[in-house]
Amino acid sequence: MMTTDFAETPTFLKAIRLININNDDCSFETGKIPAQQNINANYFFAKTDVSSLENIPHPAPRRQFVITIKGKLKFTVTNGDTFILEPGVVLIANDTKGAGHTWEVIEGDVWERIYIPLGNDADDYFIKD
């Protein structure tokens, strides 16, 4: 039987944004981004390696969205606050200065993710909680 009912589409996606505050310290804020928003990006790339930066403080190399496909991680910012990143949560890496953040895989041994670098003046459409 054919039906014309459509699955409900969420209006927003849960997001966490890494930011620079006070003297380039790294912090984060929780919020959301619109689900149907076009993002100003020219390319994306995937990565699975976890050995290169795990548990090593670093800033984001550029403003970018990080979409986790597989893995559960704990991120730590400058003051020691932490958050959990897992599939279904969009990370907006916007802490491009200072010591940055650390992360570690807390379930399994893999982090599959897609990076979507943002254009220099592109809006990240983040709405803070």
Side-chain angles (χ1 to χ4, degrees), residues 1-128:
M1 172 180 225
M2 186 171 185
T3 177
T4 58
D5 294 336
F6 293 95
E8 187 173 326
T9 302
T11 308
F12 294 95
L13 301 172
K14 183 176 178 183
I16 299 172
R17 181 166 62 179
L18 291 167
I19 57 172
N20 287 120
I21 60 168
N22 315 322
N23 299 319
D24 296 333
D25 285 347
C26 177
S27 187
F28 69 92
E29 48 195 4
T30 60
K32 59 191 176 185
I33 60 171
Q36 300 293 322
Q37 184 64 53
N38 290 328
I39 298 168
N40 183 11
N42 294 323
Y43 67 99
F44 71 93
F45 59 98
K47 195 165 185 180
T48 59
D49 179 38
V50 294
S51 62
S52 62
L53 288 175
E54 186 171 15
N55 290 313
I56 298 171
H58 62 281
R62 70 195 70 76
R63 292 178 58 236
Q64 59 192 1
F65 283 81
V66 183
I67 312 301
T68 297
I69 298 167
K70 184 176 181 182
K72 187 172 185 178
L73 297 94
K74 179 172 80 171
F75 275 72
T76 305
V77 296
T78 306
N79 70 359
D81 286 347
T82 63
F83 65 88
I84 302 299
L85 183 66
E86 57 192 331
V89 179
V90 176
L91 177 66
I92 303 170
N94 203 23
D95 62 325
T96 58
K97 301 175 185 170
H101 58 274
T102 62
W103 57 264
E104 64 179 304
V105 177
I106 58 172
E107 281 186 16
D109 58 358
V110 68
W111 181 21
E112 294 178 1
R113 66 242 189 236
I114 294 174
Y115 291 96
I116 306 171
L118 291 168
N120 290 336
D121 297 321
D123 191 338
D124 63 17
Y125 300 101
F126 182 80
I127 301 166
K128 186 176 175 180

